[in-house]
Amino acid sequence: MRTIGVLTSGGDAPGMNAAIRAVVRGAISNDMRVYGVYDGYYGLLRGDLHEMDVKSVSDVLQRGGTFLRTARCMEMLTEEGVKQAIDKASLFDLDGLVVIGGDGSFRGALALSKQGLRTACVPATIDNDLAYTDWTIGYDTAVNTCVNAINLIRDTSASHGRITVIEVMGRACGDIALAAGVAGGAAYVFIPEVEPNLDVLMKRLDKGRARGKKHNIIIRAEGANIGTDELVNMIANHTQGEVRKVVLGYLQRGGTPTASDRIIASKMGFRAVEVLKGEGNARAIGMHGVEVFDMDLQEAMNMTRIVDTEEIRLMETLAI
Ligand code: F6P
């Protein structure tokens, strides 16, 4: 009987529990044994594995975060650490491991797959920064969290005729900022992939004020090439109006996953089991639209992201 493990790694994301549930129940329905690894690779290196049964994943589908917990594990960047992980995996007779996480977690899985532990990777990060897949688990929930926050902030901004700069997560990827900007009706979005153009912003604010628009929402991804405080000061100086800032921070990582995140998590978690049930190794599971697929992990990791300029143009056009 095949025995596999499942772990969550890197920043947590809403929907990870749905993916774990799909792996556990998918494995059991395929007559496989499945171990939950607690605290990501850190737990794997320390042998913190516990056999899962159907009940282990009851009542988790709707919970944010990951009940297996997660951790960032620098030891996995060393040969010694990888060897330790392989030794522990063989102690539990694992012949496959499902890794649920982001790009750093995928690097660890690739290293393990080269040392003989077959791996299948499920993309889970709110950043949506993995180029090979349309969606990563947690992204849709994070965008909805941001849009709900924008709705709340818009009320007070409008009441006071203020401009509010909202900082969202995304160190190197502006997908959350861009999607929240379009859905939330932002006047401008600053993202890491595009150099800031303050002239365009100020002209847009002036134009809006000229037609009586007294309040604005501006979104800034945390990795954009201009700081939030710097932006607030520059806008305040230019408009001579009241400007406020809100940093959404870790709010974006929590909350009950949306139906969409639960569905893609279930599809990709189950596909990972199917891959390991066969002879698959070092596979990346992904979504093209609503279709689940798997591909070579190294190839997936080599793909580079392109920013959605269409979405930028749409946001700018609608924000006049
Ligand atoms: O990768 C997801 C993410 O939430 C980023 O958007 C954010 O910059 C980072 O994790 C925060 O990392 P940590 O949880 O280690 O502070």
Side-chain angles (χ1 to χ4, degrees), residues 90-245:
S90 53
L91 206 59
F92 287 86
D93 285 333
L94 297 192
D95 56 13
L97 179 69
V98 176
V99 173
I100 302 169
D103 55 358
S105 314
F106 282 25
R107 278 195 292 276
L110 192 62
L112 292 172
S113 68
K114 288 175 178 167
Q115 299 300 322
L117 177 61
R118 296 188 307 118
T119 58
C121 293
V122 175
T125 167
I126 64 168
D127 288 1
N128 201 44
D129 59 349
L130 295 172
Y132 79 95
T133 177
D134 289 350
W135 315 107
T136 60
I137 296 167
Y139 167 66
D140 184 58
T141 304
V143 171
N144 279 282
T145 299
C146 290
V147 171
N148 291 334
I150 291 170
N151 293 341
L152 295 173
I153 294 162
R154 183 181 290 282
D155 289 344
T156 176
S157 257
S159 304
H160 286 263
R162 283 174 176 159
I163 295 173
T164 307
V165 177
I166 302 175
E167 180 185 302
V168 299
M169 282 188 158
R171 265 181 303 209
C173 169
D175 281 24
I176 293 177
L178 207 41
V182 173
Y188 201 92
V189 177
F190 289 91
I191 58 176
E193 300 92 333
V194 176
E195 274 312 299
N197 186 328
L198 290 160
D199 286 347
V200 169
L201 168 64
M202 301 310 176
K203 284 197 177 78
R204 182 166 304 148
L205 294 177
D206 294 345
K207 205 170 155 193
R209 213 172 36 241
R211 63 176 176 79
K213 181 176 182 185
K214 296 192 181 317
H215 72 278
N216 278 285
I217 297 287
I218 291 161
I219 310 276
R220 175 190 171 267
E222 62 182 325
N225 302 323
I226 182 168
T228 298
D229 290 334
E230 185 187 359
L231 197 47
V232 167
N233 294 333
M234 292 180 87
I235 295 169
N237 291 337
H238 179 82
T239 59
Q240 295 302 302
E242 290 187 336
V243 185
R244 295 292 186 271
K245 75 171 181 179

Side-chain angles (χ1 to χ4, degrees), residues 62-90:
Q62 74 283 6
R63 285 169 46 197
T66 160
F67 81 85
L68 288 179
R69 297 191 303 272
T70 178
R72 289 191 160 91
C73 179
M74 303 315 283
E75 291 152 286
M76 273 303 282
L77 301 175
T78 67
E79 260 180 55
E80 181 48 38
V82 173
K83 187 182 172 316
Q84 216 179 320
I86 292 289
D87 292 346
K88 282 295 183 302
S90 53

Side-chain angles (χ1 to χ4, degrees), residues 6 16-26 28 34 36 38 52-63 67-68:
V6 56
M16 279 185 161
N17 283 325
I20 298 166
R21 173 177 176 269
V23 171
V24 171
R25 292 190 172 178
I28 292 167
V34 50
Y38 284 81
M52 300 274 120
D53 61 22
V54 170
K55 289 195 309 299
S56 308
V57 288
S58 296
D59 207 25
V60 301
L61 186 60
Q62 74 283 6
R63 285 169 46 197
F67 81 85
L68 288 179

